[in-house]
Amino acid sequence: MTTARTKPLSTSHSAPQAQRAPLLGILHSRRLWLGMLGWSVALLIFFPIFWMVLTGFKTEAEAIAEPSLIFSPTLESYDAVQNRAGYAKFALNSVVVAFGSTLLALLIAIPAAYAMAFLPTRRTKGTLLWMLSTKMLPPVGVLVPIYLLFRDVGLLDTRTGLVIVYTLMNLPIVVWMLYTFFKDMPKDILEAGRMDGAGTLQEVLYLLLPLTLPGIASTGLLSVILSWNEAFWSLNLTSSQAAPLTAYIASFSSPEGLFWAKLSAASTMAIAPILVFGWLTQKQMVRGLTFGAVK
């Protein structure tokens, strides 16, 4: 009797395991294919950067020849780039303008996003949409008035002028991101602070900013990257004194033609700092961008 009862029990346990095995195989193969797809997309995106770095170590003759991974590396292009224009001056301009405009944008956006998130009015949504709509305007459409205005007030070819333009350029995105982060914050915490006698400034400094620091950090990092890569305004509003690295790259495009090896070397030197910066801060950026996604 005991043997007769144990046989159906073992069969009932083995049946779900047999049904689970094909499902595990399907999930494993799906993960494998998704992983291969992700790596393929990553390599496709990274390949132009890899080829640019590789071309920077070639001679001009090798750069315009048939594409090949076999060549004799040389620093000839880097020496020519450094002798033609000082890299340090352009890099310093990029650092000052990118971080200066980001700091100014955050100083303006944090109070604006706070007011929109916690003190909304009937016009709040319309204001947010209007701010975002300004990003749809082609920069060339306002180039002439901004150029004439900067010329009259003496801001052409100055770091201050670029900081102002980059701040206005990134401000809608910064406000929108901070607004979404602030909206995800529980209002009970702020109300508890008010009950304890905290004023608006204390509420922002001691409650809001520490709790939303990952979101603020990721917003600042994104603003730095956008400012570092901006080329249109730097090419049109600067000439020599305040020119950042984007203008530094463009200076190697001459009427005689494109010198691919030197252009690649200059581009590598221009993007290297922001690539290292992005690699070092990628965890913070991902953490900030996913802030509030899971509650």
Side-chain angles (χ1 to χ4, degrees), residues 72-265:
S72 299
T74 177
L75 296 177
E76 174 185 329
S77 298
Y78 286 93
D79 291 336
V81 166
Q82 189 61 33
N83 292 332
R84 176 176 172 180
Y87 171 81
K89 177 183 176 181
F90 293 92
L92 180 61
N93 289 336
S94 286
V95 171
V96 172
V97 171
F99 285 90
S101 61
T102 297
L103 179 60
L104 182 58
L106 289 175
L107 290 176
I108 299 174
I110 288 175
Y114 170 83
M116 294 179 180
F118 300 110
L119 303 170
T121 64
R122 291 181 299 176
R123 300 180 180 179
T124 297
K125 292 184 178 180
T127 303
L128 286 169
L129 290 175
W130 171 77
M131 293 181 64
L132 192 62
S133 67
T134 60
K135 295 296 296 179
M136 305 175 188
L137 176 69
V140 69
V142 293
L143 173 61
V144 173
I146 289 181
Y147 183 89
L148 295 177
L149 180 62
F150 275 35
R151 183 198 62 184
D152 294 339
V153 299
L155 289 177
L156 281 180
D157 199 18
T158 62
R159 294 174 180 172
T160 303
L162 282 186
V163 167
I164 294 173
V165 170
Y166 286 6
T167 299
L168 297 176
M169 175 188 70
N170 293 330
L171 193 58
I173 296 178
V174 175
V175 171
W176 260 95
M177 291 186 66
L178 292 181
Y179 170 77
T180 57
F181 294 141
F182 291 172
K183 285 290 288 184
D184 288 335
M185 180 179 173
K187 295 183 179 180
D188 297 341
I189 298 177
L190 298 183
E191 292 177 357
R194 293 169 192 164
M195 293 178 63
D196 291 337
T200 303
L201 183 60
Q202 294 173 327
E203 184 180 316
V204 173
L205 292 179
Y206 299 115
L207 292 176
L208 184 64
L209 295 186
L211 293 174
T212 57
L213 189 59
I216 296 174
S218 66
T219 303
L221 294 175
L222 180 62
S223 178
V224 168
I225 293 173
L226 293 176
S227 298
W228 190 281
N229 294 331
E230 173 60 32
F232 177 82
W233 293 111
S234 64
L235 292 176
N236 288 283
L237 299 180
T238 63
S239 56
S240 58
Q241 297 300 320
L245 287 171
T246 48
Y248 172 76
I249 297 174
S251 65
F252 291 91
S253 176
S254 62
E256 291 82 7
L258 292 176
F259 298 93
W260 292 109
K262 296 180 180 62
L263 188 61
S264 298

